[in-house]
Amino acid sequence: MSAVREGNSRATHIGVNAHLLSLAEGYRSAGISSYIYNLLPHLPVAATEMECTIFVGEKRYGGAPGLRLQVSRLPTARPAVRILWEQALLPWVARREGIDLLHNMAFVGPVASPCPFIVTVHDLSFLFYPHSFRPLRRSYLRLFARISVHRARRVIAVSESTKRDLVETYGISSAKIDVVHNGVDESFRPLPADQVAAFRQQKKLPDRFALFVGTLEPRKNIAGLLDAYAKLPEGRPPLVLVGGKGWFYDEIFGRVQALGLNNEVRFAGFVPTEELPFWFNAADLFVYPSLYEGFGLPPLEAMACGTAVITSTTSSLPEVVGRAGQLVDPTDADALAATMSRVLGDGDLRREMQVAGLKQAAGFSWEEAARKTVDSYRRALTPGEDRHGV
């Protein structure tokens, strides 16, 4: 990957701050960590004229062909340590390594960066849903994300929705923002019926069920999903909730108790990424009534598995599912219940949604995400490109 240009000039050296990568089992390995894990292996193919050094704290990460790793000795899984590394040590490391452009993969770049940088913004939930964040991280993001997007050469937004939020909230020029959608891994696909049947038996799953996948936290609107599910007529299929515990999850368990759904709602907890395609394949319906998403990967993964999807009319979710899914106001429990009842009760409709979902999901890939990311690198390094946009 470290192709050298003609003459004595060296390859452009890209530094990638990937310290939010986590291989631990739990909600920290979802979301941004999943974005980092899936994007990194595809960068070498897209950036043939560049050399990439990946800065990580996750000591179990083995990297990928064409990537050079710099693993920190510090325990940067701890937020305070990561912030210290990001602001105090990263500038020194970037200077030492001769980095020409620094890509910060999660919201913030170092204030004292010795080189131009790009920052990826996944959403502005730390502003819109601040209670979902620990106080230190919330305060850090509120202050430093604003500074970072203004100082960055380019800003990568994971959706048009996030791009609009950035323009409206921070007042930066839309010309400075590159939209790079997340991809979907090839493991998310329709699986052979016998494999799905074996998985169903192993997990003691019913023949029919509705599925939610995501961190158990208020922004995902699981309480609203439970309210809607309780309105379904008797004989409804069970509801299975897959995901690790995030913030204020006690409200979710309390809502199940209050609605008398203990025998119909199952909490599967966190499941490894490699197991998720089986859950999607086994479900009749995937329901994701989140209040706000910068991108919303679970509905895309569900569609790629050939599962009918119901999701929200809010934020980036219509952008992800297009016309393949059923869109509902997530605050309207009656409308959500009616849509769930209609889809669960109509096999022809589900099959139409499955076909449309497979077609929609085929438009998202990590290879394309890497190509567009590297295009953003090139723009940031090209004289005359929009650099300030304020």
Side-chain angles (χ1 to χ4, degrees), residues 79-102:
V81 177
R82 185 174 63 251
I83 290 170
L84 174 66
W85 181 89
E86 200 163 65
Q87 293 300 327
L89 295 182
L90 178 55
W92 177 80
V93 172
R95 185 180 293 109
R96 181 195 68 189
E97 297 296 322
I99 300 299
D100 298 305
L101 179 71
L102 184 63

Side-chain angles (χ1 to χ4, degrees), residues 236-264:
R236 57 201 168 205
L239 173 64
V240 178
L241 305 176
V242 169
K245 295 177 181 177
W247 284 95
F248 300 111
Y249 54 82
D250 287 338
E251 176 191 352
I252 297 168
F253 293 97
R255 189 68 62 93
V256 171
Q257 294 271 1
L259 293 170
L261 299 175
N262 299 67
N263 295 326
E264 297 174 272

Side-chain angles (χ1 to χ4, degrees), residues 38-171:
N38 284 290
L39 183 66
L40 289 181
H42 298 287
L43 287 179
V45 177
T48 55
E49 81 280 21
M50 301 174 182
E51 177 183 0
C52 282
T53 295
I54 313 300
F55 302 113
V56 295
E58 177 56 83
K59 295 175 175 57
R60 291 169 293 178
Y61 180 60
L67 296 178
R68 178 172 173 259
L69 292 185
Q70 285 273 340
V71 183
S72 175
R73 296 179 181 178
L74 297 177
T76 56
R78 294 164 52 187
V81 177
R82 185 174 63 251
I83 290 170
L84 174 66
W85 181 89
E86 200 163 65
Q87 293 300 327
L89 295 182
L90 178 55
W92 177 80
V93 172
R95 185 180 293 109
R96 181 195 68 189
E97 297 296 322
I99 300 299
D100 298 305
L101 179 71
L102 184 63
H103 179 192
N104 302 282
M105 302 189 83
F107 305 103
V108 172
V111 171
S113 179
C115 61
F117 68 84
I118 281 178
V119 62
T120 295
V121 177
H122 300 270
D123 57 51
L124 296 185
S125 56
F126 54 90
L127 294 178
F128 302 155
Y129 293 89
H131 56 278
S132 297
F133 290 77
R134 287 187 171 91
L136 175 62
R137 180 156 174 77
R138 178 176 66 234
S139 299
Y140 178 60
L141 290 175
R142 286 176 71 94
L143 174 61
F144 284 87
R146 176 182 291 275
I147 295 171
S148 296
V149 298
H150 281 285
R151 292 191 176 185
R153 281 277 179 90
R154 307 289 303 174
V155 176
I156 292 175
V158 298
S159 64
E160 293 288 349
S161 174
T162 296
K163 178 177 179 177
R164 288 192 298 272
D165 287 344
L166 283 165
V167 172
E168 293 170 4
T169 304
Y170 292 132

Side-chain angles (χ1 to χ4, degrees), residues 231-233 285 310 335-346:
K231 293 177 181 291
L232 296 180
L285 171 66
I310 297 174
L336 180 55
T339 304
M340 291 175 65
S341 181
R342 184 172 69 253
V343 176
L344 285 169
D346 190 336

